[in-house]
Amino acid sequence: MAAGIDDMAIYIPRLFVDSADFAVARGVDPAKLKQGLGISKMAIVDTNQDPACLAANACLKLMQKNNVSPSDVGRLYVATESALDESKALNSYVIGMLEQVYGPDSFEHCGGIECKFACVSGSYALYDNSNWIRAGEAEGKSAIVVVSDIAKYDMGSTGEYTQGAGAVAMLLNDKPRLLQFDAKVTSTSIKNEYDFYRPFGKETPIVHGQYSNLLYLIQVKKAFEAYKKKALDTGIIKINEGETILDHIDYLCMHLPYSNMGKKALSYLLRREWRSLPRWKRTIEQTGMEEPVPKDPRGTIESILADEEYMTKDHEFTKLFTKTKEYRQFYEDKLASSLIASTMIGNLYTASLYLGFRSCLEFEFQKGVDLAGKRIGFGSYGSGSSAMVFSGTVQPDYKEIVSKMNLEMEIGERKKLSLEEYEEIHENKRSPDQSLLDAKKEFVLVSIEDTPESRGERKYVFCD
Ligand code: HMG
């Protein structure tokens, strides 16, 4: 049985910080954020928004635009790393909000959990729910997977450049109009790591930035190796002499903590895929230098990062490699469109990969490309750490959905925050009733109980 994404909806908070203002305030060259990391705006939640509101708003939009009623939904999963409670799952808050619109107990028959594994958990949620559909357990119902997060880092840290917030809700069924997942090729890698983690009670993560960048690349590469084997063994992709499997994947969507991480991931994968192919000679000639090798090629991530001579040369080589005709062509054809939304919004943790997917569809369609039958490869990464690589093909009815996509219109009119406003929100100095924007047709948080018997209980309302 087939399974895949039938439709998707996004909810992005309308407050944002401009990366140029932010850079100036932090004493950083604006070009570092804009050109170096690929960030132009970071979405910031208002004082009356939390990850549950973002998820419920995306979910409501998805249901309304598809005329899906609660009785059509068998499972509602929320994947997040911005959990509100150690025990109560985020999807229960979402169901509570949706029942304000659809009626009490309207989701009673439905099941679901909150999934956690940093940014990769949404991909696990999609995979598990697709298998629920493939196994014939869905009995004609759909599953909804919502990925929702607020990426927030310590003020003054380098992570603060890579914030953002938002949710993506995806409707899954056995006759998807948008993307059908390729069966039996999904591949994973996993390792106990401390690249990025958020201990209990701490609002912001502890991050080892450069370590996390390299670990991401290594883990995705490991999952990709396993994917390659499965894709060739199952015969979904066939390659000829001198080709790589990437030649047969039309688009790549990568986890995007910041837009330029997609470029880093592409150059890392291509260098390793192309090395043994005839095209490598002509590509490397354009760089004018030998590809550097670390002092200890089998060393740890720490030893590679500490090998300063190698790191400098490798950085230089990567820059030259990404200017070659072959890389530029591949980048423009297969990756560039998926990065556009990330530059406008920032890191959405679990939702970043799926915002990138949406961005790929919208901006490739705008170029006039017929997307039917195109294969999309996904590189999902979650700190801690695990990667998942999988793929799917765009379905014949995709136009029905993609032709109506309009990112700017769907975000709505945005308000640029002054640095003072941003810092007040960041340091939680405003209460939910001191929001900066008026809510329109959306759920908002009104209060959090602090009495001993009900501490942490959250109340939400739908604002018409
Ligand atoms: P940093 O270390 O300050 O930045 O922070 P940098 O020195 O690496 O510079 C960034 C880029 O800007 C570099 O480009 C510089 O060359 C360039 P690259 O060489 O890499 O292509 N640059 C400039 N460009 C133009 N003009 C200039 C200039 N100066 C420098 N004047 C870092 C970057 C990402 C480490 C930091 O923001 C951070 O720690 N972020 C949080 C962690 C993170 O996002 N890690 C990414 C991988 S892990 C992941 O994706 C998982 C995650 O989403 C969490 C989860 O799974 O839940 C984070």
Side-chain angles (χ1 to χ4, degrees), residues 236-402:
I236 65 153
I237 297 178
K238 292 184 178 60
I239 57 170
N240 300 311
E241 189 73 21
E243 288 183 336
T244 148
I245 205 166
L246 291 173
D247 296 335
H248 296 269
I249 296 179
D250 300 293
Y251 296 105
L252 290 170
C253 293
M254 307 301 299
H255 168 53
L256 300 174
Y258 49 92
S259 167
N260 282 4
M261 190 71 208
K263 293 183 186 167
K264 268 191 203 293
L266 182 65
S267 66
Y268 189 88
L269 284 179
L270 287 185
R271 278 172 60 183
R272 280 145 189 88
E273 281 301 290
W274 288 0
R275 262 177 208 156
S276 56
L277 303 182
R279 75 187 78 165
W280 186 238
K281 196 165 169 285
R282 66 168 187 271
T283 310
I284 205 168
E285 268 169 14
Q286 294 165 55
T287 69
M289 75 183 275
E290 290 285 308
E291 191 179 25
V293 180
K295 280 192 194 101
D296 178 6
R298 304 190 71 80
T300 60
I301 296 180
E302 284 94 340
S303 75
I304 290 174
L305 289 173
D307 185 348
E308 279 178 32
E309 193 188 335
Y310 166 73
M311 288 305 289
T312 309
K313 281 206 175 127
D314 192 65
H315 189 247
E316 191 188 336
F317 181 82
T318 305
K319 290 273 170 230
L320 294 167
F321 175 68
T322 55
K323 290 194 175 84
T324 62
K325 198 167 124 273
E326 285 76 9
Y327 174 89
R328 292 300 311 165
Q329 181 85 50
F330 206 97
Y331 165 76
E332 289 299 337
D333 289 351
K334 301 191 187 221
L335 184 75
S337 291
S338 71
L339 308 184
I340 297 170
S342 172
T343 62
M344 296 160 64
I345 296 165
N347 193 359
L348 277 65
Y349 289 158
T350 50
S352 290
L353 176 63
Y354 299 99
L355 183 73
F357 167 51
R358 207 207 107 113
S359 181
C360 167
L361 295 173
E362 179 174 339
F363 295 108
E364 282 301 302
F365 183 72
Q366 275 183 19
K367 285 185 191 166
V369 178
D370 182 6
L371 297 171
K374 300 280 187 207
R375 173 158 283 123
I376 303 190
F378 294 82
S380 190
Y381 176 70
S383 290
S385 74
S386 177
M388 182 184 278
V389 171
F390 55 101
S391 58
T393 47
V394 179
Q395 295 301 289
D397 290 336
Y398 78 93
K399 272 192 196 146
E400 223 180 285
I401 293 153
V402 178

